[in-house]
Amino acid sequence: MKPMNCPAHCLMFGSMTRSYRELPMRIADFGVLHRNEQSGALTGLTRVRRFQQDDAHIFCREDQIEKEVVACLEFMKFVYDIFGMSYRLELSTRPKKALGKKELWDQAETALAQAMDKFAGEGNWRENPGDGAFYGPKIDIKVMDAMDRVHQCATIQLDFQLPIRFDLRYRKKGGANGDDSSSADDESEVSSTTTNDDGDEEDPNVLPPDFARPVMVHRAMLGSVERMFAVLLEHYGGKWPFWLSPRQALVVPVGKSFVPYANQVKDRLKVAGFHADIDDSSNSLKKKVREGQLAQYNYILVVGEKEETNDSVAVRNRNNEMEGEKKIDEVIAEFRILSETFQQDVLEDGL
């Protein structure tokens, strides 16, 4: 059980001698995390004790910080554009209780500010003084749902402290007489604590001249999957876009004699990779369609004698708008387009 992935990724980086040629090194983890939150702080899916996080850590050189942070911001934009959510950026700076020297904090905050200027432009983000993590400043991405409610999901954090705490290092360019290759002797040398001429132990964080500290970038795009699911529920109001919907199509036969054909249609949709169900109850057609709409099926496919003869279906969307008769192969092709293009509003655009 672990509350975070950062220490494990630091140990992975520090398990062998690293060269500047290996940076940036990106390590991602989508594992299960546990945090013993106070019972009064637990809230639905937004704060739980066991969760999964799309966590990643990037170990890079100082001259690579801006490029890596901008790449993280572009990744974030790609993700939230697909969800159809807007966002705003905030730079959270050094809190009162913080690790490390103020000079390192200033350097980290400047690097993040430059990256945000490059990504969003000057004046298109705001500063949030004193709200950084205890180990480094961070970029908070405040996401707005369809009702303009604000949610904290994605985050990008810059960390100079953990590399010091875990004594992480890499061989600089031109180090070891211009040779950046590693050896068993190098391993033992750089992992041991240095001593002075009198035999007294020196600061273990002092690096040999051939080595430098990496900078660590923490990034999560969704945050916890559980919290993101709750946010998306609020954003879509239960009306999931087709590509994300667990109820994409409901096949409705107009009578019992057309149930076998309705099952064939359902099976063809499932083989094509779509979520499809059938309502073969004895309810009236009107009631079946209404219940399908209330269950938020994106599309209701009505079949009868004409549709069975023509190998087709009569298409309605969940707004109860008739889209006419279409061949099953045509419907499958258009469903694929909806899935592949992450179309947001199938209610207006339809097929």
Side-chain angles (χ1 to χ4, degrees):
M1 295 175 67
K2 56 182 178 178
M4 61 189 71
N5 296 309
C6 321
H9 291 178
C10 287
L11 291 174
M12 291 168 66
F13 182 91
S15 64
M16 60 185 293
T17 303
R18 303 292 182 181
S19 162
Y20 74 95
R21 298 178 187 275
E22 298 178 69
L23 305 182
M25 178 178 290
R26 305 179 185 95
I27 305 175
D29 195 323
F30 221 135
V32 176
L33 302 177
H34 297 79
R35 295 181 186 174
N36 190 23
E37 302 281 2
Q38 296 296 320
S39 59
L42 301 176
T43 308
L45 288 171
T46 58
R47 188 170 293 276
V48 293
R49 287 176 171 162
R50 182 186 186 277
F51 59 96
Q52 288 181 271
Q53 189 174 40
D54 63 327
D55 207 5
H57 297 95
I58 303 166
F59 299 91
C60 63
R61 305 190 307 266
E62 290 186 15
D63 63 297
Q64 297 171 324
I65 292 174
E66 182 177 317
K67 181 179 179 181
E68 291 301 312
V69 172
V70 169
C72 290
L73 288 169
E74 289 174 345
F75 185 17
M76 177 275 302
K77 182 179 186 302
F78 172 78
V79 171
Y80 286 97
D81 282 351
I82 286 176
F83 289 134
M85 304 177 80
S86 57
Y87 57 87
R88 65 170 183 256
L89 304 178
E90 296 181 358
L91 174 58
S92 297
T93 59
R94 188 174 188 264
K96 291 183 178 179
K97 294 183 179 180
L99 295 176
K101 298 178 180 178
K102 186 176 184 301
E103 293 79 8
L104 283 179
W105 276 84
D106 292 342
Q107 183 181 354
E109 289 169 9
T110 300
L112 289 183
Q114 290 174 346
M116 293 169 74
D117 283 341
K118 184 174 182 179
F119 172 76
E122 293 186 28
N124 292 324
W125 54 273
R126 63 183 291 267
E127 187 173 307
N128 191 8
D131 200 41
F134 67 91
Y135 51 78
K138 60 180 180 175
I139 299 175
D140 285 326
I141 294 97
K142 301 294 179 68
V143 178
M144 277 78 77
D145 63 20
M147 302 293 291
D148 283 333
R149 292 168 292 197
V150 178
H151 306 275
Q152 172 65 56
C153 297
T155 186
I156 300 169
Q157 304 173 4
L158 199 57
D159 189 349
F160 285 88
Q161 303 304 321
L162 280 184
I164 295 174
R165 297 271 170 150
F166 281 86
D167 195 21
L168 303 183
R169 57 185 71 185
Y170 65 90
R171 192 183 297 281
K172 296 189 291 187
K173 185 175 183 179
N177 298 321
D179 182 8
D180 66 329
S181 60
S182 60
S183 67
D185 292 339
D186 291 333
E187 279 286 350
S188 60
E189 176 188 348
V190 300
S191 62
S192 61
T193 301
T194 59
T195 57
N196 60 23
D197 294 337
D198 297 326
D200 296 328
E201 188 173 270
E202 295 181 344
D203 183 355
N205 290 330
V206 174
L207 291 171
D210 292 343
F211 288 85
R213 294 265 181 237
V215 179
M216 190 174 179
V217 179
H218 307 248
R219 76 110 179 103
M221 293 297 103
L222 302 179
S224 79
V225 176
E226 291 78 3
R227 179 186 295 170
M228 192 66 206
F229 185 75
V231 170
L232 289 176
L233 277 172
E234 295 290 336
H235 177 56
Y236 294 125
K239 295 185 176 182
W240 298 97
F242 184 85
W243 66 273
L244 197 55
S245 177
R247 293 176 171 174
Q248 294 175 321
L250 177 66
V251 185
V252 176
V254 298
K256 287 292 182 182
S257 58
F258 303 108
V259 169
Y261 176 66
N263 275 308
Q264 292 177 27
V265 174
K266 179 199 71 172
D267 292 342
R268 288 173 66 176
L269 290 171
K270 285 195 169 185
V271 167
F274 301 108
H275 299 292
D277 297 311
I278 181 174
D279 185 350
D280 56 0
S281 67
S282 58
N283 292 331
S284 67
L285 175 61
K286 185 176 181 179
K287 185 173 183 180
K288 290 179 183 180
V289 171
R290 179 58 179 160
E291 288 182 349
Q293 293 168 347
L294 293 175
Q296 298 300 340
Y297 282 93
N298 295 75
Y299 289 96
I300 298 168
L301 311 177
V302 179
V303 296
E305 182 178 1
K306 179 183 178 182
E307 288 76 22
E308 184 174 16
T309 301
N310 296 335
D311 192 38
S312 64
V313 292
V315 181
R316 298 171 182 244
N317 61 37
R318 61 185 168 197
N319 269 0
N320 199 28
E321 296 169 344
M322 293 291 299
E323 298 188 6
E325 183 183 356
K326 298 187 179 185
K327 296 284 188 181
I328 298 175
D329 288 341
E330 182 184 354
V331 171
I332 290 174
E334 292 172 336
F335 277 7
R336 286 201 177 108
I337 292 174
L338 288 176
S339 295
E340 293 168 0
T341 58
F342 305 111
Q343 191 164 320
Q344 293 296 325
D345 196 350
V346 299
L347 297 182
E348 291 183 3
D349 295 339
L351 287 175

